[in-house]
Amino acid sequence: MITPLTQNITPNREPPDLKQYAQAGGYQGLQRAIKTLTPQEVLQEVKESNLRGRGGAGFPTGKKWSFVPMGDDAPRPKYLVANADEMEPGTFKDRLLMEGDPHQLLEGMILASYAIQAEVAYIFLRAEYRLAAQRLKKAIAEAYEMNYLGKNLLGSAFSLELHLHTSAGRYICGEETALLNALEGKRAIPRAKPPYPQVSGLWGQPTVVNNVETLCNVPHIIARGAAWYQNLSRSEDGGTKFYGASGRVKHPGAWELPMGTPIREILEEHAGGMKDGFQLRGLLPGGASTDFLTEEHLDVPMDYDSVQSAGSRLGTGTMIILDDRTCPVGMLCNLEHFFAQESCGWCTPCRDGLPWVEKILLGIEQGQGQPEDLDYLTMHTRLLGPGHTFCAHAPGAMEPLQSALKYFRADFEQHIHHQRCPFK
């Protein structure tokens, strides 16, 4: 199995420095791009690879880059931002990539910046990722020393300044326009779209925001070609994917596997199956803000279109497992508490609706639920759904709730009928 993203990562060992990274084939993609490819040719290679965003939305990366104005009359400066504010519950893939191989991210950012002709790049890093920050700072210094960053990269006319920015710590900064507001020193609230960041982003200038895992794929595409990258996949989506599993499985963790690997294979062969004495009831396939899937979906390939056809989203590809001894109502109560706490407060449905959802769920879990509570929860899944809020925060919070009401409704009804949590 070919694993380009993790080929240099060894658990419990220091990441490769620049020299070691280069000896393993690192910066070959950058050398090729700077010396033999135009920015448009780099963009086209990424388009043909069918790389889709790994942060959750799955938007085609090359297409996203293509919206940036190019040419001599394009606005200057342009910016590239790596979204490393990984705060989705159950998600830890980007941390492993940054801690384990920071130069891979830097090379991906340099190539992306070259493709859109950005002069300045930022890594917007989650505040708690202190080890990643240390290793990124070291890698950035090494890259400047070897002229992979700075003025006239590798003797070319292209220049790039790269900065590490540590977040103050809010989940809403995962939304790209709220991230840009925070990077400007403003309140982290989402912006209206259009205009989209590719046209008017950071300080009103053309900006591309990409996820860490997305950018880490770019060096391998440019070094080895789009066709090679597509052949790594088991689906129409190109490349490999960092999949993960947390919960009561025997070997929780993350693994780089071909895009489109079935859920069953990930859980049974890589996560080791359920712990002894526990059975699978459901899973959130892409972090907390995705719809539940159940045992009937175990053979669904983990790619964007297949998971969507099954009624959920691939999201980050890191699964949260629900077992038969965990109360689904209690699990939902915990998730909705997080989403209510992390609302930026900018729009009324999210600011006021999510705390109400949490209050209803808490009442049901504590034995105070009423039959009409299920109708109120169902109403919220509609009123806080897509098209009713300023960004995707509340709609994402409704995905586990609406699917839990579908698959685990009997558990809600038992709580209400017996006026207690049957799992306690």
Side-chain angles (χ1 to χ4, degrees):
M1 187 185 299
I2 301 174
T3 55
L5 296 179
T6 55
Q7 63 185 1
N8 298 328
I9 299 176
T10 303
N12 302 317
R13 287 183 60 182
E14 289 288 316
D17 59 19
L18 190 149
K19 182 179 179 180
Q20 293 167 330
Y21 178 71
Q23 288 174 343
Y27 289 113
Q28 287 184 0
L30 179 60
Q31 296 272 2
R32 177 182 178 230
I34 292 292
K35 295 177 180 179
T36 66
L37 300 178
T38 65
Q40 182 58 40
E41 287 172 330
V42 172
L43 190 152
Q44 188 61 33
E45 194 82 41
V46 173
K47 270 188 176 181
E48 292 175 0
S49 73
N50 203 19
L51 170 65
R52 296 176 66 171
R54 304 302 203 235
F59 194 80
T61 304
K63 186 175 181 181
K64 188 175 191 178
W65 294 359
S66 70
F67 297 145
V68 176
M70 299 293 286
D72 294 338
D73 59 346
R76 299 285 180 176
K78 301 178 192 177
Y79 297 97
L80 177 89
V81 181
N83 186 347
D85 194 53
E86 187 177 48
M87 290 188 66
E88 179 75 11
T91 302
F92 44 87
K93 61 183 182 65
D94 294 342
R95 176 175 64 84
L96 297 176
L97 288 169
M98 290 184 289
E99 291 179 357
D101 198 1
H103 277 287
Q104 180 176 234
L105 172 60
L106 298 189
E107 185 181 5
M109 293 182 68
I110 299 166
L111 284 164
S113 299
Y114 178 71
I116 66 170
Q117 290 292 281
E119 293 92 342
V120 184
Y122 290 93
I123 302 172
F124 191 94
L125 182 67
R126 178 177 172 177
E128 292 82 2
Y129 283 4
R130 296 184 179 90
L131 180 59
Q134 293 173 11
R135 293 178 174 179
L136 285 167
K137 286 177 182 178
K138 179 182 176 183
I140 291 169
E142 291 174 337
Y144 268 107
E145 185 177 350
M146 296 301 294
N147 194 220
Y148 289 119
L149 289 171
K151 301 292 184 183
N152 304 115
L153 269 69
L154 304 176
S156 70
F158 178 64
S159 301
L160 179 67
E161 300 297 327
L162 191 148
H163 308 282
L164 176 64
H165 176 88
T166 303
S167 164
R170 288 306 303 272
Y171 177 76
I172 193 62
C173 291
E175 200 280 334
E176 63 178 7
T177 62
L179 180 154
L180 295 178
N181 273 339
L183 198 52
E184 292 179 6
K186 300 174 183 174
R187 177 182 171 187
I189 54 175
R191 301 176 181 178
K193 301 179 189 178
Y196 290 91
Q198 295 93 319
V199 176
S200 178
L202 194 61
W203 292 293
Q205 298 298 112
T207 306
V208 164
V209 182
N210 280 134
N211 167 259
V212 167
E213 185 185 356
T214 307
L215 291 164
C216 286
N217 280 275
V218 176
H220 308 288
I221 295 169
I222 303 305
R224 304 186 188 186
W228 171 86
Y229 183 77
Q230 283 186 314
N231 288 334
L232 298 178
S233 172
R234 292 163 65 173
S235 75
E236 293 184 2
D237 303 324
T240 59
K241 178 77 184 76
F242 229 146
Y243 297 112
S246 59
R248 288 194 170 105
V249 291
K250 290 180 179 176
H251 307 298
W255 312 271
E256 182 185 2
L257 302 169
M259 176 67 83
T261 300
I263 296 173
R264 186 187 302 276
E265 182 177 328
I266 297 170
L267 287 182
E268 296 181 358
E269 295 185 21
H270 300 281
M274 299 298 292
K275 286 185 177 180
D276 294 339
F278 295 91
Q279 294 183 358
L280 176 71
R281 284 202 70 188
L283 59 96
L284 299 169
S289 58
T290 56
D291 285 272
F292 275 101
L293 297 178
T294 62
E295 196 170 11
E296 67 181 275
H297 302 111
L298 285 179
D299 294 315
V300 171
M302 281 283 277
D303 62 60
Y304 297 96
D305 295 338
S306 299
V307 176
Q308 185 173 0
S309 298
S312 187
R313 291 186 301 111
L314 179 63
T316 61
T318 46
M319 296 179 282
I320 302 174
I321 308 302
L322 171 65
D323 63 86
D324 62 337
R325 296 192 193 178
T326 298
C327 173
V329 178
M331 180 178 177
L332 258 295
C333 191
N334 185 43
L335 289 177
E336 298 304 333
H337 169 73
F338 170 82
F339 288 122
Q341 176 178 273
E342 291 296 332
S343 172
C344 76
W346 187 238
C347 65
T348 303
C350 182
R351 181 187 64 242
D352 296 343
L354 288 177
W356 194 8
V357 167
E358 180 196 357
K359 184 177 179 180
I360 294 171
L361 287 170
L362 187 61
I364 295 173
E365 177 69 2
Q366 294 178 343
Q368 301 162 7
Q370 301 298 318
E372 59 268 24
D373 287 343
L374 300 186
D375 296 328
Y376 288 130
L377 290 174
T378 302
M379 177 186 73
H380 276 80
T381 63
R382 177 174 56 85
L383 295 180
L384 273 65
H388 293 89
T389 58
F390 208 73
C391 77
H393 178 79
M398 292 301 98
E399 291 188 23
L401 176 60
Q402 67 189 9
S403 52
L405 289 169
K406 174 183 177 182
Y407 292 119
F408 312 122
R409 193 175 188 88
D411 292 274
F412 287 85
E413 292 172 344
Q414 284 183 352
H415 279 71
I416 294 170
H417 178 73
H418 297 291
Q419 292 290 286
R420 65 179 180 86
C421 174
F423 288 82
K424 296 178 181 178

